[in-house]
Amino acid sequence: MSSWSWAGSPRRVRRGALLAAVTAAVWTAGACAAITSDPTVPASIERVAKPFPSIAVGDTLRDTLGVAQPLRVVVRDLAGDPITDAPVRFQYVQFDRDSALDVDSITGFVRAVKLPTGSPVLVAARVGTFIQVLDTVRVVVPPDMVSLTRDTAIVGFVPDTGARGIDNNSAPVEVKLQSDSAGTLRDAQGWLVRFAILRPFNPTNDTTAAAFLISETTARPSQFDTSGTTGLAARRVRIRPNIFPSGTTL
């Protein structure tokens, strides 16, 4: 992987280089209204996955292109159909004891004023009196440094059998994200990292290619990881030896 030529020594990177597209997912909240025979009355509310896992201090929630985005929910009627004009209102749950978030109650736009004093940080989305859903918001100091955790990422493999066991793939290719605050390095948690194989070229992580990326924990194809509490993010490389180009190195 030519992208690992920085080999261990921290380098400053642009924020945009660490951003990646995330497939939005929707999951159902448990909050429901009282049963009613009117299919136009809101019966449930669901939160929509945020376009980025965290909000930088002093900034608003953004997508991977840097465009400001609100928190989003889907309100459904008794038949399960979306109600597009439902009067949703948003509220910072800890507003009475902490001023970390500035939440627009109508649009759902959230700005992180400062690091919160406690966790979890919650925003409630409500429709009427009885229906609400809580969404956790992670506020972080954005990273400005990234480094490999080892000098060389050694890739080993066995003949390709189509199995997904992680023992059939490389050791973790791991990076550490940190922020420099007045000369003190702090681990950067909750930041999205995109990995890509540059040689042999596979920017879209095509799983039929000679080499592609997988999750180090599930072994499923994945280019993206979110840094943990220690600032670490990692992916493994899976190789198909029968089609790997002769003389090619990663």
Side-chain angles (χ1 to χ4, degrees), residues 40-126:
T40 65
V41 173
S44 68
I45 184 171
E46 306 164 1
R47 59 184 183 267
V48 177
K50 292 182 285 295
F52 201 77
S54 56
I55 304 177
V57 173
D59 201 0
T60 189
L61 177 65
R62 298 182 182 275
D63 62 18
T64 57
L65 299 178
V67 179
Q69 298 288 337
L71 296 177
R72 300 181 188 277
V73 296
V74 176
V75 180
R76 298 186 184 277
D77 61 24
L78 192 63
D81 297 322
I83 303 176
T84 58
D85 59 349
V88 180
R89 293 296 180 265
F90 297 87
Q91 185 180 47
Y92 177 33
V93 174
Q94 292 97 340
F95 75 96
D96 60 341
R97 63 179 185 273
D98 183 74
S99 57
L101 295 186
D102 182 11
V103 180
D104 188 307
S105 63
I106 297 176
T107 65
F109 280 95
V110 178
R111 181 174 178 270
V113 179
K114 62 179 183 179
L115 286 174
T117 57
S119 62
V121 178
L122 300 172
V123 174
R126 296 189 176 97

Side-chain angles (χ1 to χ4, degrees), residues 120-173:
V121 178
L122 300 172
V123 174
R126 296 189 176 97
V127 179
T129 305
F130 302 106
I131 310 176
Q132 80 167 22
V133 66
L134 299 177
D135 201 354
T136 302
V137 177
R138 178 180 291 165
V139 181
V140 301
V141 176
D144 54 15
M145 304 183 72
V146 60
S147 61
L148 282 173
T149 59
R150 56 179 67 86
D151 288 340
T152 305
I154 300 175
V155 176
F157 57 87
V158 298
D160 181 35
T161 63
R164 290 189 173 184
I166 53 180
D167 290 340
N168 295 338
N169 310 290
S170 76
V173 179

